[in-house]
Structure formats: C-alpha cells, structure tokens
Amino acid sequence: QVQLVESGGGLVQAGGSLRLSCTASARTFTAYAVGWFRQAPGKEREFVAVIGGSGGDALDYRDSLKGRFTISRDNAKNTVYLQMNSLNPEDTAVYYCAAATFFTRTLGSYAYWGQGTQVTVSS
C-alpha cells in the first residue's frame, strides 16, 4: 500500500499562509490522484482539493476555497502540496492527504490516508 505523511501544519495568524506537504513512500505514488481533506472538531471530514495522477493536470477544489488554496505536486519528490493563503479561523482543522486510484472528490473513494497535520488559525 501507499504510506502518506503530512507536514507543514502549525499556528498562524488570520490573513497568513501555510504550505502543507504530503510525502509518499513509493514512486507509484505518481499514478495516484491525491486529495486533501480537513476535519474540524465536531464536524465531518470534508473535501478540500484534489490533483490527478499519471501526468494529468486535473485539479478540483471545494467551491468555498477556490482562489485561496492551491494544490500542486512534485513527482520527483513524491510530494503533493497544499498552499493555503488568506487563512481565517474557520480554516482551523486537522488536514489529511489521501490517495485514490482515480480522480475524485469523494472521501470514501480514497484508500490510503495520512495521519493528519493540525492547522490552527488565530484571530
């Protein structure tokens, strides 16, 4: 299977930026679509963004995050990034990356998950 590790979370003031990283254990990672999801306390895990695999350029974002968040990948480093700008306290959550065999925004379609990284945005 694919092992995923998130990093880059932390505490940031409202209006600031963070870049999250998701690094995979194997080169086959490049063939997978990789999604970012987040979960705030007391809320369901929700889709954030996805990037296609196998050299594709497909991208998708949660509608409310378009223009603030950018997903990208560096296949040479087996890493997917989530650049988060203009953060506000409502972005506070544990952020997870996940890998799927096809391009999708559906949480249940992702077979492999990281352990998450905490993002806290203060006002």
Short mmCIF file of all heavy atoms in Angstrom, two decimals, residues 9-10 18 20 37-41 43-46 48 84 88-96 116-121:
data_model
loop_
_atom_site.label_atom_id
_atom_site.label_comp_id
_atom_site.label_asym_id
_atom_site.label_seq_id
_atom_site.Cartn_x
_atom_site.Cartn_y
_atom_site.Cartn_z
N GLY A 9 1.87 21.80 9.05
CA GLY A 9 0.85 22.45 9.85
C GLY A 9 1.46 23.25 10.98
O GLY A 9 2.66 23.17 11.27
N GLY A 10 0.63 24.04 11.62
CA GLY A 10 1.08 24.86 12.73
C GLY A 10 0.10 25.94 13.04
O GLY A 10 -1.06 25.91 12.62
N LEU A 18 0.15 29.14 4.93
CA LEU A 18 0.88 27.92 5.25
C LEU A 18 0.95 27.07 3.99
O LEU A 18 0.05 27.12 3.15
CB LEU A 18 0.20 27.11 6.35
CG LEU A 18 0.31 27.60 7.79
CD1 LEU A 18 -0.57 26.73 8.69
CD2 LEU A 18 1.75 27.54 8.27
N LEU A 20 1.25 23.05 3.22
CA LEU A 20 1.27 21.68 3.71
C LEU A 20 1.92 20.78 2.68
O LEU A 20 1.80 21.01 1.47
CB LEU A 20 -0.14 21.18 4.00
CG LEU A 20 -1.00 22.04 4.93
CD1 LEU A 20 -2.35 21.36 5.17
CD2 LEU A 20 -0.28 22.30 6.24
N PHE A 37 -8.14 16.69 2.55
CA PHE A 37 -9.38 16.78 3.31
C PHE A 37 -9.08 17.43 4.65
O PHE A 37 -7.94 17.47 5.09
CB PHE A 37 -9.99 15.39 3.52
CG PHE A 37 -10.35 14.69 2.23
CD1 PHE A 37 -9.39 14.03 1.48
CD2 PHE A 37 -11.66 14.69 1.77
CE1 PHE A 37 -9.71 13.39 0.30
CE2 PHE A 37 -12.00 14.05 0.60
CZ PHE A 37 -11.03 13.41 -0.14
N ARG A 38 -10.12 17.93 5.30
CA ARG A 38 -9.91 18.52 6.61
C ARG A 38 -11.08 18.19 7.52
O ARG A 38 -12.20 17.96 7.06
CB ARG A 38 -9.71 20.03 6.52
CG ARG A 38 -10.93 20.81 6.07
CD ARG A 38 -10.58 22.28 5.91
NE ARG A 38 -11.75 23.08 5.59
CZ ARG A 38 -11.72 24.39 5.35
NH1 ARG A 38 -10.55 25.04 5.39
NH2 ARG A 38 -12.84 25.04 5.08
N GLN A 39 -10.80 18.19 8.81
CA GLN A 39 -11.83 17.89 9.80
C GLN A 39 -11.63 18.78 11.02
O GLN A 39 -10.59 18.71 11.68
CB GLN A 39 -11.80 16.42 10.20
CG GLN A 39 -12.95 16.01 11.10
CD GLN A 39 -13.08 14.50 11.21
OE1 GLN A 39 -12.11 13.77 11.01
NE2 GLN A 39 -14.27 14.03 11.52
N ALA A 40 -12.62 19.59 11.29
CA ALA A 40 -12.63 20.42 12.48
C ALA A 40 -13.36 19.68 13.60
O ALA A 40 -14.20 18.81 13.34
CB ALA A 40 -13.32 21.75 12.20
N PRO A 41 -13.06 20.01 14.86
CA PRO A 41 -13.74 19.34 15.97
C PRO A 41 -15.25 19.45 15.86
O PRO A 41 -15.80 20.53 15.62
CB PRO A 41 -13.22 20.08 17.20
CG PRO A 41 -11.88 20.58 16.79
CD PRO A 41 -12.04 20.96 15.34
N LYS A 43 -17.13 18.34 13.54
CA LYS A 43 -17.61 18.39 12.17
C LYS A 43 -17.15 17.17 11.39
O LYS A 43 -16.20 16.50 11.77
CB LYS A 43 -17.12 19.66 11.48
CG LYS A 43 -17.63 20.96 12.08
CD LYS A 43 -17.18 22.16 11.28
CE LYS A 43 -17.72 23.45 11.85
NZ LYS A 43 -17.26 24.62 11.05
N GLU A 44 -17.84 16.90 10.31
CA GLU A 44 -17.45 15.80 9.43
C GLU A 44 -16.23 16.19 8.60
O GLU A 44 -15.99 17.37 8.32
CB GLU A 44 -18.61 15.42 8.52
CG GLU A 44 -19.82 14.86 9.24
CD GLU A 44 -20.89 14.39 8.29
OE1 GLU A 44 -20.71 14.51 7.06
OE2 GLU A 44 -21.92 13.90 8.76
N ARG A 45 -15.48 15.18 8.23
CA ARG A 45 -14.35 15.41 7.34
C ARG A 45 -14.87 15.88 5.98
O ARG A 45 -15.83 15.32 5.45
CB ARG A 45 -13.53 14.14 7.20
CG ARG A 45 -12.17 14.34 6.55
CD ARG A 45 -11.31 13.08 6.67
NE ARG A 45 -11.06 12.72 8.04
CZ ARG A 45 -10.27 11.72 8.43
NH1 ARG A 45 -9.63 11.00 7.52
NH2 ARG A 45 -10.12 11.46 9.71
N GLU A 46 -14.23 16.90 5.41
CA GLU A 46 -14.72 17.47 4.18
C GLU A 46 -13.61 17.59 3.14
O GLU A 46 -12.44 17.76 3.47
CB GLU A 46 -15.35 18.85 4.41
CG GLU A 46 -14.38 19.91 4.89
CD GLU A 46 -15.05 21.25 5.15
OE1 GLU A 46 -16.28 21.27 5.34
OE2 GLU A 46 -14.34 22.28 5.16
N VAL A 48 -11.24 19.14 0.39
CA VAL A 48 -10.57 20.42 0.20
C VAL A 48 -10.11 20.60 -1.24
O VAL A 48 -10.45 21.59 -1.89
CB VAL A 48 -9.37 20.55 1.16
CG1 VAL A 48 -8.55 21.80 0.84
CG2 VAL A 48 -9.84 20.58 2.60
N MET A 84 -1.97 27.36 1.24
CA MET A 84 -3.14 27.97 1.83
C MET A 84 -2.84 29.43 2.13
O MET A 84 -1.94 29.72 2.92
CB MET A 84 -3.56 27.24 3.10
CG MET A 84 -3.76 25.74 2.91
SD MET A 84 -4.39 24.91 4.41
CE MET A 84 -2.98 25.15 5.50
N ASN A 88 -8.20 32.06 7.63
CA ASN A 88 -9.07 32.61 8.65
C ASN A 88 -9.37 31.52 9.67
O ASN A 88 -9.10 30.34 9.43
CB ASN A 88 -10.35 33.18 8.03
CG ASN A 88 -11.17 32.15 7.29
OD1 ASN A 88 -11.73 31.24 7.90
ND2 ASN A 88 -11.26 32.29 5.97
N PRO A 89 -9.90 31.88 10.84
CA PRO A 89 -10.11 30.87 11.88
C PRO A 89 -10.99 29.71 11.46
O PRO A 89 -10.87 28.62 12.02
CB PRO A 89 -10.75 31.68 13.02
CG PRO A 89 -10.17 33.05 12.85
CD PRO A 89 -10.11 33.25 11.36
N GLU A 90 -11.87 29.90 10.48
CA GLU A 90 -12.71 28.81 10.01
C GLU A 90 -11.92 27.74 9.27
O GLU A 90 -12.45 26.67 9.01
CB GLU A 90 -13.83 29.35 9.13
CG GLU A 90 -14.84 30.20 9.89
CD GLU A 90 -15.99 30.69 9.03
OE1 GLU A 90 -15.83 30.74 7.80
OE2 GLU A 90 -17.04 31.01 9.61
N ASP A 91 -10.67 28.03 8.92
CA ASP A 91 -9.81 27.05 8.29
C ASP A 91 -9.14 26.13 9.31
O ASP A 91 -8.44 25.19 8.92
CB ASP A 91 -8.74 27.73 7.44
CG ASP A 91 -9.32 28.51 6.28
OD1 ASP A 91 -10.22 27.98 5.60
OD2 ASP A 91 -8.87 29.65 6.05
N THR A 92 -9.31 26.40 10.58
CA THR A 92 -8.71 25.58 11.62
C THR A 92 -9.27 24.16 11.56
O THR A 92 -10.48 23.96 11.60
CB THR A 92 -8.96 26.18 13.00
OG1 THR A 92 -8.29 27.45 13.10
CG2 THR A 92 -8.44 25.27 14.10
N ALA A 93 -8.38 23.18 11.45
CA ALA A 93 -8.79 21.79 11.32
C ALA A 93 -7.54 20.92 11.28
O ALA A 93 -6.42 21.42 11.14
CB ALA A 93 -9.61 21.57 10.05
N VAL A 94 -7.76 19.62 11.38
CA VAL A 94 -6.72 18.67 11.03
C VAL A 94 -6.82 18.42 9.53
O VAL A 94 -7.90 18.09 9.04
CB VAL A 94 -6.85 17.36 11.81
CG1 VAL A 94 -5.79 16.35 11.36
CG2 VAL A 94 -6.72 17.62 13.31
N TYR A 95 -5.73 18.57 8.83
CA TYR A 95 -5.70 18.39 7.39
C TYR A 95 -5.05 17.05 7.06
O TYR A 95 -3.98 16.73 7.56
CB TYR A 95 -4.92 19.52 6.72
CG TYR A 95 -5.71 20.80 6.65
CD1 TYR A 95 -5.98 21.54 7.79
CD2 TYR A 95 -6.22 21.26 5.43
CE1 TYR A 95 -6.72 22.70 7.74
CE2 TYR A 95 -6.96 22.42 5.36
CZ TYR A 95 -7.21 23.14 6.52
OH TYR A 95 -7.95 24.30 6.45
N TYR A 96 -5.72 16.29 6.21
CA TYR A 96 -5.27 14.97 5.80
C TYR A 96 -5.03 14.93 4.30
O TYR A 96 -5.78 15.53 3.54
CB TYR A 96 -6.33 13.91 6.12
CG TYR A 96 -6.71 13.78 7.56
CD1 TYR A 96 -7.72 14.57 8.11
CD2 TYR A 96 -6.09 12.85 8.38
CE1 TYR A 96 -8.09 14.45 9.44
CE2 TYR A 96 -6.44 12.72 9.71
CZ TYR A 96 -7.45 13.52 10.23
OH TYR A 96 -7.81 13.38 11.55
N GLY A 116 -2.56 13.08 9.35
CA GLY A 116 -3.06 14.42 9.53
C GLY A 116 -2.05 15.37 10.13
O GLY A 116 -1.12 14.96 10.83
N THR A 117 -2.24 16.64 9.87
CA THR A 117 -1.43 17.69 10.46
C THR A 117 -2.36 18.83 10.89
O THR A 117 -3.27 19.21 10.16
CB THR A 117 -0.35 18.19 9.47
OG1 THR A 117 0.50 19.13 10.11
CG2 THR A 117 -0.96 18.81 8.22
N GLN A 118 -2.13 19.33 12.08
CA GLN A 118 -3.01 20.34 12.66
C GLN A 118 -2.70 21.72 12.10
O GLN A 118 -1.54 22.15 12.08
CB GLN A 118 -2.87 20.37 14.18
CG GLN A 118 -3.70 21.45 14.88
CD GLN A 118 -5.17 21.15 14.86
OE1 GLN A 118 -5.59 20.04 15.18
NE2 GLN A 118 -5.98 22.15 14.48
N VAL A 119 -3.74 22.41 11.66
CA VAL A 119 -3.64 23.80 11.26
C VAL A 119 -4.54 24.61 12.18
O VAL A 119 -5.74 24.34 12.29
CB VAL A 119 -4.06 24.00 9.79
CG1 VAL A 119 -4.14 25.49 9.45
CG2 VAL A 119 -3.09 23.29 8.87
N THR A 120 -3.96 25.59 12.84
CA THR A 120 -4.71 26.45 13.74
C THR A 120 -4.51 27.89 13.32
O THR A 120 -3.37 28.37 13.22
CB THR A 120 -4.26 26.27 15.20
OG1 THR A 120 -4.41 24.90 15.58
CG2 THR A 120 -5.10 27.14 16.13
N VAL A 121 -5.61 28.58 13.08
CA VAL A 121 -5.57 29.98 12.64
C VAL A 121 -6.16 30.83 13.75
O VAL A 121 -7.33 30.66 14.12
CB VAL A 121 -6.33 30.18 11.33
CG1 VAL A 121 -6.18 31.62 10.86
CG2 VAL A 121 -5.83 29.21 10.27
#
